Amino acid sequence: MAGLKFAGLVLLVMATAMAIAEARTIVVGGSQNWRYGYNYTDWALKNSPFFINDKLVFKYGPPHNVYLLPNLFSYLKCDFKGATLLAGPSNGAGNGFEVVLNQYRLYYFASSNDKDCSNGLMKFFAMPLPRWQ
Ligand SMILES: *[C@@H]1O[C@H](CO)[C@@H](O)[C@H](O)[C@H]1NC(C)=O
């Protein structure tokens, strides 16, 4: 009887571990989507940690967009020199634009329109952690 209970517990723990290992699909900003004036640094902190192969979904309309900034300095300065455009103003409609965090790196995301990044707080970074499987 004790053996059965133990086996049940082991199965439960394994099922939980597998559920945790499942990649998540996360809408950036939650119900706020990707918009001017919402604190995405705060959002990212509260939704961390991110894991390898988690998907971030950016939902927005014009004039916003999604850039990947090259480093911490450009992120802090909202400097888009050398940045990579991931999604233009029209790519955030419907189900949104999806980025898979499939590399072990720091991802610096920002919107480049006017003051989106500097005053509108439309920037955050994510560092996906490995999955143990
Ligand atoms: C945004 O959130 C971060 C982290 O919680 C905080 O340090 C920062 O002061 C906030 N920025 C603004 C403008 O509220």
Side-chain angles (χ1 to χ4, degrees):
M1 206 49 198
L4 259 182
K5 272 188 185 159
F6 181 70
L9 183 67
V10 168
L11 277 177
L12 185 69
V13 168
M14 279 171 64
T16 307
M18 281 161 73
I20 289 169
E22 197 83 3
R24 297 182 300 168
T25 299
I26 306 153
V27 177
V28 175
S31 60
Q32 297 296 311
N33 293 341
W34 184 231
R35 68 156 176 92
Y36 189 96
Y38 185 69
N39 191 336
Y40 291 92
T41 305
D42 193 49
W43 174 85
L45 279 175
K46 287 180 177 150
N47 286 272
S48 288
F50 300 103
F51 292 94
I52 280 287
N53 290 333
D54 278 350
K55 289 177 194 152
L56 295 182
V57 182
F58 291 83
K59 293 185 175 182
Y60 60 93
H64 310 302
N65 55 34
V66 183
Y67 270 88
L68 205 53
L69 297 173
N71 54 50
L72 179 62
F73 192 71
S74 53
Y75 170 81
L76 292 172
K77 295 273 176 195
C78 287
D79 178 0
F80 287 82
K81 225 182 300 132
T84 306
L85 179 66
L86 297 183
S90 60
N91 296 130
N95 291 330
F97 171 74
E98 198 173 278
V99 182
V100 182
L101 304 178
N102 58 5
Q103 293 173 48
Y104 294 110
R105 53 163 287 178
L106 269 160
Y107 289 83
Y108 300 100
F109 295 106
S111 176
S112 75
N113 181 66
D114 194 25
K115 300 232 178 327
D116 275 4
C117 180
S118 53
N119 291 0
L121 306 177
M122 296 182 75
K123 63 170 173 179
F124 68 97
F125 61 84
M127 169 79 224
L129 301 179
R131 292 179 181 283
W132 310 106
Q133 56 180 7

mmCIF file of all heavy atoms in Angstrom, residues 91-131:
data_model
loop_
_atom_site.group_PDB
_atom_site.id
_atom_site.type_symbol
_atom_site.label_atom_id
_atom_site.label_comp_id
_atom_site.label_asym_id
_atom_site.label_seq_id
_atom_site.Cartn_x
_atom_site.Cartn_y
_atom_site.Cartn_z
ATOM 1 N N ASN A 91 1.970 44.192 -38.656
ATOM 2 C CA ASN A 91 2.163 42.767 -38.334
ATOM 3 C C ASN A 91 1.609 42.334 -36.976
ATOM 4 O O ASN A 91 1.693 41.163 -36.622
ATOM 5 C CB ASN A 91 3.647 42.387 -38.395
ATOM 6 C CG ASN A 91 4.231 42.526 -39.780
ATOM 7 O OD1 ASN A 91 5.268 43.137 -39.968
ATOM 8 N ND2 ASN A 91 3.544 42.002 -40.775
ATOM 9 N N GLY A 92 1.077 43.305 -36.209
ATOM 10 C CA GLY A 92 0.598 42.963 -34.871
ATOM 11 C C GLY A 92 -0.902 42.723 -34.806
ATOM 12 O O GLY A 92 -1.446 42.504 -33.725
ATOM 13 N N ALA A 93 -1.562 42.742 -35.975
ATOM 14 C CA ALA A 93 -3.023 42.584 -36.008
ATOM 15 C C ALA A 93 -3.426 41.126 -35.799
ATOM 16 O O ALA A 93 -2.588 40.223 -35.869
ATOM 17 C CB ALA A 93 -3.555 43.096 -37.339
ATOM 18 N N GLY A 94 -4.688 40.907 -35.556
ATOM 19 C CA GLY A 94 -5.233 39.548 -35.434
ATOM 20 C C GLY A 94 -4.608 38.790 -34.295
ATOM 21 O O GLY A 94 -4.652 39.231 -33.152
ATOM 22 N N ASN A 95 -4.013 37.643 -34.611
ATOM 23 C CA ASN A 95 -3.392 36.823 -33.570
ATOM 24 C C ASN A 95 -2.049 37.375 -33.116
ATOM 25 O O ASN A 95 -1.410 36.793 -32.249
ATOM 26 C CB ASN A 95 -3.211 35.380 -34.056
ATOM 27 C CG ASN A 95 -4.544 34.679 -34.197
ATOM 28 O OD1 ASN A 95 -5.491 34.989 -33.470
ATOM 29 N ND2 ASN A 95 -4.632 33.760 -35.142
ATOM 30 N N GLY A 96 -1.601 38.448 -33.747
ATOM 31 C CA GLY A 96 -0.371 39.096 -33.324
ATOM 32 C C GLY A 96 0.859 38.528 -33.987
ATOM 33 O O GLY A 96 0.777 37.630 -34.826
ATOM 34 N N PHE A 97 1.992 39.065 -33.601
ATOM 35 C CA PHE A 97 3.281 38.625 -34.139
ATOM 36 C C PHE A 97 3.990 37.788 -33.075
ATOM 37 O O PHE A 97 4.069 38.182 -31.913
ATOM 38 C CB PHE A 97 4.134 39.840 -34.518
ATOM 39 C CG PHE A 97 5.540 39.479 -34.870
ATOM 40 C CD1 PHE A 97 5.834 38.877 -36.071
ATOM 41 C CD2 PHE A 97 6.574 39.716 -33.960
ATOM 42 C CE1 PHE A 97 7.143 38.510 -36.379
ATOM 43 C CE2 PHE A 97 7.882 39.360 -34.265
ATOM 44 C CZ PHE A 97 8.162 38.752 -35.485
ATOM 45 N N GLU A 98 4.505 36.628 -33.503
ATOM 46 C CA GLU A 98 5.054 35.655 -32.560
ATOM 47 C C GLU A 98 6.578 35.541 -32.671
ATOM 48 O O GLU A 98 7.106 35.431 -33.772
ATOM 49 C CB GLU A 98 4.425 34.302 -32.893
ATOM 50 C CG GLU A 98 4.528 33.278 -31.814
ATOM 51 C CD GLU A 98 3.715 32.036 -32.191
ATOM 52 O OE1 GLU A 98 2.483 32.044 -31.979
ATOM 53 O OE2 GLU A 98 4.306 31.077 -32.706
ATOM 54 N N VAL A 99 7.250 35.594 -31.532
ATOM 55 C CA VAL A 99 8.694 35.384 -31.477
ATOM 56 C C VAL A 99 8.963 34.177 -30.586
ATOM 57 O O VAL A 99 8.468 34.127 -29.462
ATOM 58 C CB VAL A 99 9.431 36.593 -30.850
ATOM 59 C CG1 VAL A 99 10.932 36.365 -30.844
ATOM 60 C CG2 VAL A 99 9.096 37.869 -31.574
ATOM 61 N N VAL A 100 9.719 33.213 -31.086
ATOM 62 C CA VAL A 100 10.089 32.071 -30.262
ATOM 63 C C VAL A 100 11.457 32.349 -29.644
ATOM 64 O O VAL A 100 12.405 32.680 -30.354
ATOM 65 C CB VAL A 100 10.154 30.769 -31.099
ATOM 66 C CG1 VAL A 100 10.493 29.576 -30.197
ATOM 67 C CG2 VAL A 100 8.839 30.525 -31.816
ATOM 68 N N LEU A 101 11.542 32.270 -28.340
ATOM 69 C CA LEU A 101 12.816 32.502 -27.649
ATOM 70 C C LEU A 101 13.643 31.217 -27.718
ATOM 71 O O LEU A 101 13.697 30.445 -26.773
ATOM 72 C CB LEU A 101 12.570 32.910 -26.196
ATOM 73 C CG LEU A 101 11.683 34.137 -25.966
ATOM 74 C CD1 LEU A 101 11.483 34.395 -24.483
ATOM 75 C CD2 LEU A 101 12.270 35.364 -26.643
ATOM 76 N N ASN A 102 14.255 30.991 -28.871
ATOM 77 C CA ASN A 102 14.935 29.703 -29.074
ATOM 78 C C ASN A 102 16.457 29.794 -28.988
ATOM 79 O O ASN A 102 17.158 28.858 -29.342
ATOM 80 C CB ASN A 102 14.496 29.066 -30.394
ATOM 81 C CG ASN A 102 14.765 29.958 -31.581
ATOM 82 O OD1 ASN A 102 15.361 31.025 -31.423
ATOM 83 N ND2 ASN A 102 14.326 29.555 -32.748
ATOM 84 N N GLN A 103 16.966 30.934 -28.525
ATOM 85 C CA GLN A 103 18.416 31.062 -28.354
ATOM 86 C C GLN A 103 18.747 31.473 -26.928
ATOM 87 O O GLN A 103 17.989 32.233 -26.313
ATOM 88 C CB GLN A 103 18.967 32.138 -29.295
ATOM 89 C CG GLN A 103 18.889 31.784 -30.762
ATOM 90 C CD GLN A 103 19.297 32.972 -31.619
ATOM 91 O OE1 GLN A 103 20.322 33.608 -31.374
ATOM 92 N NE2 GLN A 103 18.498 33.288 -32.616
ATOM 93 N N TYR A 104 19.884 30.985 -26.458
ATOM 94 C CA TYR A 104 20.374 31.411 -25.148
ATOM 95 C C TYR A 104 21.057 32.754 -25.302
ATOM 96 O O TYR A 104 22.244 32.832 -25.592
ATOM 97 C CB TYR A 104 21.363 30.383 -24.582
ATOM 98 C CG TYR A 104 20.727 29.069 -24.266
ATOM 99 C CD1 TYR A 104 20.998 27.946 -25.026
ATOM 100 C CD2 TYR A 104 19.836 28.955 -23.205
ATOM 101 C CE1 TYR A 104 20.403 26.726 -24.744
ATOM 102 C CE2 TYR A 104 19.232 27.752 -22.921
ATOM 103 C CZ TYR A 104 19.522 26.638 -23.693
ATOM 104 O OH TYR A 104 18.910 25.462 -23.406
ATOM 105 N N ARG A 105 20.278 33.792 -25.179
ATOM 106 C CA ARG A 105 20.815 35.139 -25.344
ATOM 107 C C ARG A 105 19.863 36.106 -24.670
ATOM 108 O O ARG A 105 18.742 35.748 -24.303
ATOM 109 C CB ARG A 105 20.934 35.501 -26.826
ATOM 110 C CG ARG A 105 19.627 35.311 -27.601
ATOM 111 C CD ARG A 105 19.626 36.030 -28.919
ATOM 112 N NE ARG A 105 19.500 37.478 -28.729
ATOM 113 C CZ ARG A 105 19.504 38.354 -29.720
ATOM 114 N NH1 ARG A 105 19.659 37.951 -30.958
ATOM 115 N NH2 ARG A 105 19.366 39.640 -29.471
ATOM 116 N N LEU A 106 20.315 37.332 -24.518
ATOM 117 C CA LEU A 106 19.433 38.388 -24.042
ATOM 118 C C LEU A 106 18.704 38.956 -25.251
ATOM 119 O O LEU A 106 19.334 39.330 -26.242
ATOM 120 C CB LEU A 106 20.248 39.479 -23.356
ATOM 121 C CG LEU A 106 20.440 39.296 -21.854
ATOM 122 C CD1 LEU A 106 21.617 40.121 -21.374
ATOM 123 C CD2 LEU A 106 19.171 39.717 -21.118
ATOM 124 N N TYR A 107 17.405 39.000 -25.164
ATOM 125 C CA TYR A 107 16.587 39.610 -26.206
ATOM 126 C C TYR A 107 16.155 40.983 -25.695
ATOM 127 O O TYR A 107 15.477 41.077 -24.669
ATOM 128 C CB TYR A 107 15.335 38.782 -26.450
ATOM 129 C CG TYR A 107 15.543 37.451 -27.144
ATOM 130 C CD1 TYR A 107 15.926 36.321 -26.423
ATOM 131 C CD2 TYR A 107 15.305 37.317 -28.503
ATOM 132 C CE1 TYR A 107 16.080 35.090 -27.050
ATOM 133 C CE2 TYR A 107 15.458 36.092 -29.145
ATOM 134 C CZ TYR A 107 15.840 34.991 -28.407
ATOM 135 O OH TYR A 107 15.990 33.776 -29.025
ATOM 136 N N TYR A 108 16.527 42.026 -26.421
ATOM 137 C CA TYR A 108 16.090 43.378 -26.068
ATOM 138 C C TYR A 108 15.014 43.802 -27.067
ATOM 139 O O TYR A 108 15.325 44.029 -28.237
ATOM 140 C CB TYR A 108 17.252 44.364 -26.158
ATOM 141 C CG TYR A 108 18.420 44.067 -25.248
ATOM 142 C CD1 TYR A 108 19.556 43.432 -25.736
ATOM 143 C CD2 TYR A 108 18.402 44.444 -23.912
ATOM 144 C CE1 TYR A 108 20.640 43.159 -24.907
ATOM 145 C CE2 TYR A 108 19.475 44.188 -23.083
ATOM 146 C CZ TYR A 108 20.592 43.539 -23.590
ATOM 147 O OH TYR A 108 21.662 43.285 -22.767
ATOM 148 N N PHE A 109 13.780 43.893 -26.615
ATOM 149 C CA PHE A 109 12.680 44.266 -27.499
ATOM 150 C C PHE A 109 12.292 45.727 -27.289
ATOM 151 O O PHE A 109 12.332 46.225 -26.158
ATOM 152 C CB PHE A 109 11.449 43.409 -27.209
ATOM 153 C CG PHE A 109 11.621 41.952 -27.508
ATOM 154 C CD1 PHE A 109 11.766 41.032 -26.475
ATOM 155 C CD2 PHE A 109 11.628 41.489 -28.822
ATOM 156 C CE1 PHE A 109 11.918 39.676 -26.741
ATOM 157 C CE2 PHE A 109 11.778 40.127 -29.095
ATOM 158 C CZ PHE A 109 11.923 39.231 -28.051
ATOM 159 N N ALA A 110 11.895 46.398 -28.373
ATOM 160 C CA ALA A 110 11.427 47.781 -28.261
ATOM 161 C C ALA A 110 10.621 48.173 -29.487
ATOM 162 O O ALA A 110 10.766 47.569 -30.558
ATOM 163 C CB ALA A 110 12.612 48.734 -28.090
ATOM 164 N N SER A 111 9.777 49.175 -29.324
ATOM 165 C CA SER A 111 9.065 49.781 -30.447
ATOM 166 C C SER A 111 9.757 51.097 -30.773
ATOM 167 O O SER A 111 10.121 51.849 -29.868
ATOM 168 C CB SER A 111 7.599 50.022 -30.083
ATOM 169 O OG SER A 111 6.940 50.704 -31.148
ATOM 170 N N SER A 112 9.930 51.385 -32.061
ATOM 171 C CA SER A 112 10.767 52.529 -32.456
ATOM 172 C C SER A 112 9.977 53.788 -32.777
ATOM 173 O O SER A 112 10.556 54.845 -32.970
ATOM 174 C CB SER A 112 11.601 52.169 -33.685
ATOM 175 O OG SER A 112 10.780 52.157 -34.838
ATOM 176 N N ASN A 113 8.652 53.680 -32.874
ATOM 177 C CA ASN A 113 7.895 54.855 -33.311
ATOM 178 C C ASN A 113 8.029 56.018 -32.327
ATOM 179 O O ASN A 113 7.787 55.839 -31.127
ATOM 180 C CB ASN A 113 6.411 54.498 -33.470
ATOM 181 C CG ASN A 113 5.608 55.694 -33.942
ATOM 182 O OD1 ASN A 113 5.787 56.167 -35.057
ATOM 183 N ND2 ASN A 113 4.747 56.204 -33.087
ATOM 184 N N ASP A 114 8.392 57.183 -32.848
ATOM 185 C CA ASP A 114 8.448 58.426 -32.078
ATOM 186 C C ASP A 114 9.028 58.184 -30.681
ATOM 187 O O ASP A 114 10.177 57.793 -30.546
ATOM 188 C CB ASP A 114 7.037 59.024 -32.016
ATOM 189 C CG ASP A 114 7.053 60.478 -31.532
ATOM 190 O OD1 ASP A 114 8.095 61.140 -31.701
ATOM 191 O OD2 ASP A 114 6.034 60.924 -30.981
ATOM 192 N N LYS A 115 8.245 58.406 -29.605
ATOM 193 C CA LYS A 115 8.754 58.247 -28.244
ATOM 194 C C LYS A 115 8.264 56.943 -27.589
ATOM 195 O O LYS A 115 8.255 56.829 -26.356
ATOM 196 C CB LYS A 115 8.335 59.454 -27.405
ATOM 197 C CG LYS A 115 8.866 60.797 -27.927
ATOM 198 C CD LYS A 115 9.562 61.550 -26.830
ATOM 199 C CE LYS A 115 10.174 62.876 -27.194
ATOM 200 N NZ LYS A 115 10.714 63.040 -28.527
ATOM 201 N N ASP A 116 7.871 55.978 -28.387
ATOM 202 C CA ASP A 116 7.386 54.687 -27.864
ATOM 203 C C ASP A 116 8.330 54.091 -26.827
ATOM 204 O O ASP A 116 7.918 53.635 -25.769
ATOM 205 C CB ASP A 116 7.263 53.654 -29.000
ATOM 206 C CG ASP A 116 5.923 53.763 -29.719
ATOM 207 O OD1 ASP A 116 5.148 54.671 -29.396
ATOM 208 O OD2 ASP A 116 5.689 52.928 -30.607
ATOM 209 N N CYS A 117 9.622 54.112 -27.160
ATOM 210 C CA CYS A 117 10.617 53.443 -26.318
ATOM 211 C C CYS A 117 10.991 54.291 -25.112
ATOM 212 O O CYS A 117 10.953 53.828 -23.978
ATOM 213 C CB CYS A 117 11.847 53.118 -27.158
ATOM 214 S SG CYS A 117 13.164 52.295 -26.259
ATOM 215 N N SER A 118 11.309 55.563 -25.357
ATOM 216 C CA SER A 118 11.822 56.422 -24.271
ATOM 217 C C SER A 118 10.738 56.862 -23.295
ATOM 218 O O SER A 118 10.898 56.717 -22.085
ATOM 219 C CB SER A 118 12.508 57.638 -24.876
ATOM 220 O OG SER A 118 11.642 58.284 -25.794
ATOM 221 N N ASN A 119 9.619 57.376 -23.800
ATOM 222 C CA ASN A 119 8.557 57.869 -22.912
ATOM 223 C C ASN A 119 7.423 56.872 -22.752
ATOM 224 O O ASN A 119 6.736 56.864 -21.732
ATOM 225 C CB ASN A 119 7.965 59.177 -23.452
ATOM 226 C CG ASN A 119 8.946 60.323 -23.359
ATOM 227 O OD1 ASN A 119 10.074 60.149 -22.895
ATOM 228 N ND2 ASN A 119 8.537 61.487 -23.815
ATOM 229 N N GLY A 120 7.219 56.057 -23.759
ATOM 230 C CA GLY A 120 6.087 55.137 -23.757
ATOM 231 C C GLY A 120 6.360 53.811 -23.093
ATOM 232 O O GLY A 120 5.472 52.977 -23.002
ATOM 233 N N LEU A 121 7.595 53.612 -22.623
ATOM 234 C CA LEU A 121 8.006 52.405 -21.876
ATOM 235 C C LEU A 121 7.883 51.119 -22.688
ATOM 236 O O LEU A 121 7.834 50.022 -22.120
ATOM 237 C CB LEU A 121 7.184 52.262 -20.588
ATOM 238 C CG LEU A 121 7.162 53.465 -19.634
ATOM 239 C CD1 LEU A 121 6.246 53.188 -18.460
ATOM 240 C CD2 LEU A 121 8.565 53.799 -19.160
ATOM 241 N N MET A 122 7.815 51.259 -24.035
ATOM 242 C CA MET A 122 7.644 50.064 -24.870
ATOM 243 C C MET A 122 8.987 49.395 -25.129
ATOM 244 O O MET A 122 9.496 49.365 -26.246
ATOM 245 C CB MET A 122 6.944 50.416 -26.183
ATOM 246 C CG MET A 122 5.529 50.916 -25.964
ATOM 247 S SD MET A 122 4.663 51.282 -27.496
ATOM 248 C CE MET A 122 4.280 49.634 -28.092
ATOM 249 N N LYS A 123 9.564 48.860 -24.055
ATOM 250 C CA LYS A 123 10.800 48.096 -24.164
ATOM 251 C C LYS A 123 10.916 47.165 -22.962
ATOM 252 O O LYS A 123 10.412 47.458 -21.882
ATOM 253 C CB LYS A 123 12.016 49.012 -24.232
ATOM 254 C CG LYS A 123 12.229 49.856 -22.981
ATOM 255 C CD LYS A 123 13.585 50.549 -23.048
ATOM 256 C CE LYS A 123 13.794 51.533 -21.923
ATOM 257 N NZ LYS A 123 15.099 52.184 -21.969
ATOM 258 N N PHE A 124 11.550 46.027 -23.179
ATOM 259 C CA PHE A 124 11.848 45.093 -22.086
ATOM 260 C C PHE A 124 12.884 44.112 -22.595
ATOM 261 O O PHE A 124 13.144 44.037 -23.798
ATOM 262 C CB PHE A 124 10.594 44.346 -21.619
ATOM 263 C CG PHE A 124 10.027 43.369 -22.613
ATOM 264 C CD1 PHE A 124 10.326 42.019 -22.547
ATOM 265 C CD2 PHE A 124 9.182 43.815 -23.618
ATOM 266 C CE1 PHE A 124 9.791 41.116 -23.457
ATOM 267 C CE2 PHE A 124 8.637 42.930 -24.531
ATOM 268 C CZ PHE A 124 8.947 41.582 -24.446
ATOM 269 N N PHE A 125 13.505 43.407 -21.675
ATOM 270 C CA PHE A 125 14.412 42.356 -22.133
ATOM 271 C C PHE A 125 14.037 41.024 -21.505
ATOM 272 O O PHE A 125 13.370 40.959 -20.474
ATOM 273 C CB PHE A 125 15.882 42.712 -21.905
ATOM 274 C CG PHE A 125 16.264 42.924 -20.467
ATOM 275 C CD1 PHE A 125 16.586 41.842 -19.657
ATOM 276 C CD2 PHE A 125 16.326 44.201 -19.940
ATOM 277 C CE1 PHE A 125 16.956 42.034 -18.333
ATOM 278 C CE2 PHE A 125 16.687 44.396 -18.616
ATOM 279 C CZ PHE A 125 16.999 43.318 -17.810
ATOM 280 N N ALA A 126 14.435 39.970 -22.194
ATOM 281 C CA ALA A 126 14.135 38.611 -21.749
ATOM 282 C C ALA A 126 15.359 37.736 -21.969
ATOM 283 O O ALA A 126 16.048 37.857 -22.974
ATOM 284 C CB ALA A 126 12.955 38.051 -22.546
ATOM 285 N N MET A 127 15.644 36.889 -20.991
ATOM 286 C CA MET A 127 16.764 35.950 -21.098
ATOM 287 C C MET A 127 16.197 34.551 -20.837
ATOM 288 O O MET A 127 15.942 34.201 -19.683
ATOM 289 C CB MET A 127 17.812 36.323 -20.044
ATOM 290 C CG MET A 127 18.914 35.309 -19.824
ATOM 291 S SD MET A 127 20.182 35.370 -21.083
ATOM 292 C CE MET A 127 20.415 33.627 -21.409
ATOM 293 N N PRO A 128 15.922 33.781 -21.907
ATOM 294 C CA PRO A 128 15.329 32.464 -21.658
ATOM 295 C C PRO A 128 16.298 31.509 -20.957
ATOM 296 O O PRO A 128 17.474 31.478 -21.269
ATOM 297 C CB PRO A 128 14.982 31.960 -23.072
ATOM 298 C CG PRO A 128 15.844 32.736 -23.996
ATOM 299 C CD PRO A 128 16.133 34.067 -23.327
ATOM 300 N N LEU A 129 15.775 30.779 -20.000
ATOM 301 C CA LEU A 129 16.561 29.795 -19.250
ATOM 302 C C LEU A 129 16.404 28.434 -19.886
ATOM 303 O O LEU A 129 15.412 28.171 -20.567
ATOM 304 C CB LEU A 129 16.068 29.746 -17.796
ATOM 305 C CG LEU A 129 16.138 31.043 -17.003
ATOM 306 C CD1 LEU A 129 15.582 30.827 -15.598
ATOM 307 C CD2 LEU A 129 17.571 31.555 -16.940
ATOM 308 N N PRO A 130 17.362 27.548 -19.660
ATOM 309 C CA PRO A 130 17.254 26.196 -20.235
ATOM 310 C C PRO A 130 16.112 25.395 -19.611
ATOM 311 O O PRO A 130 15.714 25.679 -18.484
ATOM 312 C CB PRO A 130 18.606 25.555 -19.900
ATOM 313 C CG PRO A 130 19.159 26.356 -18.788
ATOM 314 C CD PRO A 130 18.611 27.743 -18.920
ATOM 315 N N ARG A 131 15.606 24.439 -20.344
ATOM 316 C CA ARG A 131 14.630 23.490 -19.817
ATOM 317 C C ARG A 131 15.366 22.206 -19.492
ATOM 318 O O ARG A 131 16.247 21.786 -20.225
ATOM 319 C CB ARG A 131 13.563 23.171 -20.866
ATOM 320 C CG ARG A 131 12.700 24.350 -21.150
ATOM 321 C CD ARG A 131 11.683 23.985 -22.209
ATOM 322 N NE ARG A 131 10.864 25.142 -22.488
ATOM 323 C CZ ARG A 131 9.888 25.545 -21.701
ATOM 324 N NH1 ARG A 131 9.586 24.883 -20.618
ATOM 325 N NH2 ARG A 131 9.204 26.633 -21.993
#
